[in-house]
Amino acid sequence: MSLRNRSAALLTLTLLSVAAAVPLKIASVSPLSGGLTGSGTELKRGAELSVSLHLQEFKALGYELSLASFDDQGSPVAAKPLAQRLAADKSILGVVGAYNSSVSNVLAGAFAPTKLAIVSVSTNDQLTKNSWSHFNRVVAPDGAQSVAAGRYVINARPKAVYVISDNTTYGNGLTRSVLSQLKSSAVKVVGYGGVSTDPEISRMIQKVKASGATMVYFGGTDDVGGRLVKAFNAAQVKVGLVGSDGIDSPNFIRQVTGLAENITYTTVFGPVSLFTNSNSFAEKYKATYKAPASGLAAYAYDATEALLAGLKAAVVEAGSVPTRAQISAAVRKVNLPSCFTAERTGCQTITGALAFSATGERQKSAVLVMKYDEMLQTKLTKFQAIDANDLK
């Protein structure tokens, strides 16, 4: 074959290869601006790392996998037009997110007509009670987390407790559940209220001080939680604070440096070091982003792993680009085993075995009770395994 003919043949093969690379796009949705940027960035990065490890796998099947990241601003109002845009964009075949429960609710509702698959790290109980076949989550719901928090407060036997929400769907769900548990206990609840702005926080500090409460249960995100802790310190009001996984974040730690003593929190995330298969993930994350990975990033990674496992199964079964409904059905059937080795060989998950119930709950999840010390180091005080069947 002449040089000219070989060049022509090579060009033909290259063009055929490019033509055969059918695009498959998924998206991540999280707050990439505003007070929850830190958490939103962790979610985005976890999804990015998962996708990066599957590019060649999909390429071998003739597909070009890609991830597009979108900012929901941590707001259900801002998320509404975004949700409609994603639902209308037929090129997007699945979504990882959101972080905020109120945003996940907006997304899932908008995606329902076309069955656009969504794998979330949001915790509001109601999200899996809507008969959505396209919605799944990889973390334990608020109901499980509030049970752990309620038990902790009851066992601590405080003189009096004040319960505070950050006025979000997430915070309201948690605090109401904890209130329900405390109602049937000997713990005295002396007040309940919501805060989101600095003036509201200032007024709340005075109410807590006047109430004589020795402990505060706070259900909410790291932004409000950090400002609340700083306001307590500025007003010299000393109370033990029990929080939720909203304060399990690097952003919260940055806000409360030097003020973290006596802060306990329940979390569905936890430090990455608690996971048996965390080493290679943590190393890759740090090498890529020059920062340590959080538990949220690990769960976002696993959410993406579940979505991609379903996408691959649907692609193989369809023999072409599958429909959104086919992908959702495949994601619901995902069954990824746990890994107990330090290396990722043959393993796909960081946070353990991953499969979903008929309602989209994770079959096996966990709630951790953690405590900050004065050096902002966290210590596990209790591990609570959650079975999806126990949440019905």
Side-chain angles (χ1 to χ4, degrees):
M1 183 183 290
S2 68
L3 180 60
R4 177 178 295 180
N5 288 339
R6 284 200 301 269
S7 298
L10 181 59
L11 177 60
T12 300
L13 287 173
T14 301
L15 291 174
L16 288 173
S17 176
V18 171
V22 180
L24 294 177
K25 184 191 294 185
I26 66 170
S28 69
V29 176
S30 62
L32 300 177
S33 61
L36 297 176
T37 301
S39 296
T41 300
E42 290 287 300
L43 189 155
K44 172 178 176 285
R45 288 174 174 177
E48 286 176 345
L49 286 182
S50 173
V51 168
S52 71
L53 294 180
H54 291 276
L55 294 176
Q56 294 304 315
E57 177 186 338
F58 277 88
K59 187 175 183 180
L61 295 173
Y63 297 91
E64 183 178 356
L65 179 65
S66 64
L67 173 73
S69 298
F70 296 90
D71 179 15
D72 60 36
Q73 301 176 44
S75 163
V77 175
K80 187 173 181 178
L82 173 60
Q84 293 170 342
R85 180 154 56 98
L86 293 176
D89 185 348
K90 295 181 180 180
S91 71
I92 294 177
L93 301 176
V95 173
V96 175
Y99 175 66
N100 300 79
S101 291
S102 55
V103 174
S104 282
N105 185 61
V106 170
L107 295 178
F111 298 166
T114 62
K115 298 294 188 291
L116 176 58
I118 175 171
V119 185
S120 177
V121 295
S122 295
T123 55
N124 184 261
D125 296 271
Q126 186 60 40
L127 290 171
T128 53
K129 297 178 181 179
N130 297 295
S131 300
W132 284 332
S133 61
H134 65 299
F135 178 89
N136 302 280
R137 62 169 150 216
V138 295
V139 294
D142 290 341
Q145 189 177 174
S146 59
V147 167
R151 289 174 180 171
Y152 178 87
V153 172
I154 292 169
N155 291 335
R157 298 180 180 180
K159 178 181 177 182
V161 174
Y162 209 107
V163 179
I164 303 173
S165 168
D166 69 347
N167 287 328
T168 63
T169 299
Y170 162 74
N172 291 340
L174 276 169
T175 50
R176 288 168 184 165
S177 181
V178 168
L179 281 171
S180 178
Q181 293 178 68
L182 297 182
K183 186 177 181 180
S184 58
S185 74
V187 174
K188 183 181 180 181
V189 178
V190 292
Y192 173 64
V195 298
S196 56
T197 66
D198 288 338
E200 290 172 342
I201 289 174
S202 295
R203 290 192 292 270
M204 180 59 71
I205 297 301
Q206 295 308 311
K207 289 180 181 179
V208 173
K209 183 177 181 180
S211 74
T214 56
M215 179 175 286
V216 166
Y217 176 77
F218 170 71
T221 58
D222 55 13
D223 179 47
V224 176
R227 288 186 281 132
L228 187 67
V229 169
K230 289 194 290 186
F232 272 122
N233 180 71
Q236 297 184 333
V237 177
K238 294 186 177 181
V239 292
L241 187 138
V242 180
S244 52
D245 57 14
I247 66 172
D248 179 18
S249 77
N251 182 51
F252 179 78
I253 291 175
R254 284 192 292 270
Q255 291 190 76
V256 302
T257 298
L259 310 175
E261 193 174 4
N262 294 323
I263 296 178
T264 302
Y265 63 95
T266 59
T267 181
V268 298
F269 300 124
V272 173
S273 59
L274 291 178
F275 304 129
T276 57
N277 192 34
S278 64
N279 287 352
S280 59
F281 170 76
E283 290 170 2
K284 184 174 179 61
Y285 188 100
K286 189 167 186 178
T288 303
Y289 301 112
K290 313 305 178 188
S294 70
L296 171 56
Y299 273 95
Y301 178 98
D302 278 1
T304 313
E305 289 290 302
L307 178 59
L308 294 180
L311 176 59
K312 180 182 177 181
V315 164
V316 171
E317 183 175 350
S320 60
V321 177
T323 66
R324 286 177 168 181
Q326 288 173 321
I327 296 168
S328 287
V331 172
R332 181 59 60 87
K333 295 176 183 177
V334 162
N335 189 359
L336 304 178
S338 58
C339 177
F340 296 101
T341 65
E343 300 299 326
R344 286 194 50 78
T345 305
C347 300
Q348 286 183 255
T349 64
I350 304 298
T351 62
L354 182 50
F356 301 112
S357 72
T359 63
E361 291 289 5
R362 187 170 183 164
Q363 291 283 12
K364 300 288 184 181
S365 57
V367 174
L368 312 175
V369 180
M370 310 291 295
K371 187 176 181 64
Y372 284 118
D373 63 20
E374 64 278 2
M375 300 301 293
L376 290 174
Q377 300 297 312
T378 55
K379 179 181 179 181
L380 175 66
T381 62
K382 186 175 182 180
F383 177 94
Q384 185 171 324
I386 306 297
D387 191 299
N389 292 324
D390 296 332
L391 298 171
K392 296 180 180 178

